[in-house]
Amino acid sequence: MPAAPAYRRLSVEERRSQLLHAALTLFAHRAPEDVSLDDVAEAAGVSRPLVYRYFPGGKQQLYEAALRSAAEELQRCFDEPPNGPLLPRLARALDRYLTFVDEHDAGFSALLQGGSVVETSRTTAIVDGVRRAAAEHILSHLEVTDPGLRLRMTVRMWITAVEAASLIWLDEDKQPPVEELRDWLVDQFVAVLSVTADRDPQTAALTQKLTADS
Amino acid sequence: MPAAPAYRRLSVEERRSQLLHAALTLFAHRAPEDVSLDDVAEAAGVSRPLVYRYFPGGKQQLYEAALRSAAEELQRCFDEPPNGPLLPRLARALDRYLTFVDEHDAGFSALLQGGSVVETSRTTAIVDGVRRAAAEHILSHLEVTDPGLRLRMTVRMWITAVEAASLIWLDEDKQPPVEELRDWLVDQFVAVLSVTADRDPQTAALTQKLTADS
């Protein structure tokens, strides 16, 4: 969002969203402990008391609000119409996810690596909510309404592996190239499903569908 | 360690290790926020001031010391002689690891799920040290001295997936049976290596060795 012209008074909602945007930009590229409320005020071109008026809980409240807004943005990456072959759908969602990771690099790492000063059971719950949403999206595209334990575990293990890959990718100066990473992750998804298919009829039916579909 | 008989004075080292053992047992089965210093004193059969004498930093210091001791125990699970076929070595290390997970259930979950009140950058560093040790063990068994990015990523992604599996397994009343989980994880290791082998000559050479070896 561009800075609003100085001659217009912002509504409460606009102001809040302007502060949140400034905070998110800062938290995206620095660890939360390296962002001060002064930084946020300066980035938004407002006074520190004004930031406090909107976020009386200070940095913790601002961080959680920014995180919630980032979590919503991240969940929108998973939106994909339920049409066409399955693996290209997964590849498109991964493309959007990896773009998000690319754009929120330091903040994304700080959040997922834990041990941050602003991490609480509430921030952990927000992140877990995103993981759960990712798993639900995948199962809904696979048209599974009652996933068994082995299938659920496989999907959640793959999601965790994708997170780990994202963190290493950021750590390694965004290597390998993002298209290679995306295809590699899709191939891993098929591979781990196949391993589970050997011991789970529900997953075996899915892998047959995936093969027929591609 | 059994409680020491009351008539013998414990040495400083013995007392410290007794307190640590009591703390570890409590932290193993409850989330850290549900363990008080009084609980530790009671479990060790000593007074609360005595616990403070050994751990002046209170619960945080005790938790970190207990965590460090658990981390050492966990790393010993990875010790495996570098002889014989590779996959049975991995299976044996996983057996020991899963026994550890079984014995430290609630504490293991609390630690890895983050957002705990006693989580700090130091506790995160201890956990990361264990992950790093696991990766080094695997690469040394594979006799790789200079692992490339794609191989390192594959090993770390698999380790993260194993962690995720452990947490879900604890959540699901330790289902599927531990032997099935172990074999499944070994099969996944082979599968993700094979996917990487398609795009990385170093990993391709390893998968050939794994196949020849089994």
Side-chain angles (χ1 to χ4, degrees), chain A residues 102-212:
Chain A
D102 189 14
E103 285 169 0
H104 297 76
D105 40 29
F108 185 84
S109 295
L111 177 67
L112 288 188
Q113 282 175 343
S116 153
V117 289
V118 290
E119 196 181 339
T120 64
S121 55
R122 278 196 306 276
T123 62
T124 305
I126 297 172
V127 177
D128 277 342
V130 177
R131 291 185 182 120
R132 224 175 5 256
E136 281 162 13
H137 273 269
I138 290 172
L139 291 168
S140 99
H141 280 276
L142 294 173
E143 294 173 18
V144 178
T145 45
D146 193 18
L149 172 60
R150 287 160 187 79
L151 177 57
R152 277 185 287 126
M153 278 179 88
T154 308
V155 169
R156 284 173 60 188
M157 286 164 76
W158 179 79
I159 290 170
T160 316
V162 170
E163 274 181 43
S166 317
L167 290 175
I168 304 169
W169 184 69
L170 289 175
D171 238 29
E172 299 276 352
D173 293 321
K174 306 185 178 172
Q175 285 300 317
V178 70
E179 296 77 15
E180 179 184 339
L181 178 59
R182 176 202 59 208
D183 292 343
W184 187 16
L185 293 171
V186 171
D187 289 351
Q188 284 199 16
F189 182 72
V190 177
V192 292
L193 273 187
S194 304
V195 168
T196 305
D198 290 342
R199 34 179 70 79
D200 181 47
Q202 186 182 39
T203 309
L206 281 180
T207 51
Q208 283 186 343
K209 197 160 91 175
L210 278 181
T211 317

Side-chain angles (χ1 to χ4, degrees), chain B residues 7-81:
Chain B
Y7 53 82
R8 193 169 69 78
R9 245 189 115 90
L10 297 182
S11 73
V12 168
E13 219 13 82
E14 286 170 329
R15 180 64 83 193
R16 197 185 129 85
S17 123
Q18 181 209 15
L19 293 175
L20 222 45
H21 180 80
L24 202 49
T25 307
L26 289 168
F27 285 128
H29 299 295
R30 293 191 220 158
E33 41 274 49
D34 299 330
V35 176
S36 72
L37 275 197
D38 281 327
D39 295 333
V40 176
E42 194 189 320
V46 303
S47 68
R48 184 188 162 97
L50 189 87
V51 180
Y52 265 109
R53 199 175 324 142
Y54 280 78
F55 298 97
K59 187 160 112 174
Q60 183 69 38
Q61 190 190 2
L62 191 55
Y63 180 72
E64 288 185 24
L67 178 56
R68 245 184 292 269
S69 136
E72 281 162 22
E73 191 184 332
L74 187 47
Q75 293 198 28
R76 278 195 297 276
C77 299
F78 309 149
D79 285 338
E80 176 66 35

Side-chain angles (χ1 to χ4, degrees), chain A residues 3 10 20 36 39 69 73 145 163 176 189 196 207 211-213:
Chain A
L10 296 183
L20 222 45
S36 72
D39 296 332
S69 135
E73 190 184 332
T145 45
E163 274 181 43
F189 182 72
T196 305
T207 51
T211 317
D213 175 73

Side-chain angles (χ1 to χ4, degrees), chain B residues 183-206:
Chain B
D183 292 343
W184 186 16
L185 293 171
V186 171
D187 289 350
Q188 284 200 14
F189 182 72
V190 177
V192 292
L193 273 187
S194 305
V195 168
T196 305
D198 290 341
R199 36 178 69 79
D200 180 49
Q202 185 182 40
T203 309
L206 281 180

Side-chain angles (χ1 to χ4, degrees), chain B residues 61-212:
Chain B
Q61 190 190 2
L62 191 55
Y63 180 72
E64 288 185 24
L67 178 56
R68 245 184 292 269
S69 136
E72 281 162 22
E73 191 184 332
L74 187 47
Q75 293 198 28
R76 278 195 297 276
C77 299
F78 309 149
D79 285 338
E80 176 66 35
N83 317 112
L86 286 159
L87 295 179
R89 292 188 221 168
L90 185 61
R92 285 190 294 269
L94 274 171
D95 266 332
R96 289 188 293 268
Y97 165 80
L98 291 169
T99 303
F100 179 94
V101 172
D102 189 14
E103 285 169 2
H104 295 77
D105 41 27
F108 185 85
S109 295
L111 177 67
L112 288 188
Q113 282 176 342
S116 153
V117 289
V118 291
E119 196 182 340
T120 64
S121 55
R122 279 196 307 278
T123 61
T124 305
I126 296 171
V127 177
D128 277 341
V130 177
R131 292 186 180 120
R132 223 175 7 254
E136 280 162 15
H137 273 268
I138 290 173
L139 291 168
S140 100
H141 280 275
L142 294 173
E143 294 174 16
V144 178
T145 45
D146 192 18
L149 171 60
R150 287 160 185 79
L151 177 57
R152 276 185 286 125
M153 278 179 88
T154 308
V155 169
R156 285 173 60 189
M157 286 164 76
W158 179 79
I159 290 170
T160 316
V162 170
E163 275 180 42
S166 316
L167 289 174
I168 304 169
W169 184 69
L170 289 176
D171 238 29
E172 300 275 353
D173 293 321
K174 306 188 177 170
Q175 283 303 317
V178 69
E179 297 77 16
E180 180 185 337
L181 178 58
R182 175 202 59 206
D183 292 343
W184 186 16
L185 293 171
V186 171
D187 289 350
Q188 284 200 14
F189 182 72
V190 177
V192 292
L193 273 187
S194 305
V195 168
T196 305
D198 290 341
R199 36 178 69 79
D200 180 49
Q202 185 182 40
T203 309
L206 281 180
T207 51
Q208 283 186 343
K209 198 160 91 176
L210 279 181
T211 317

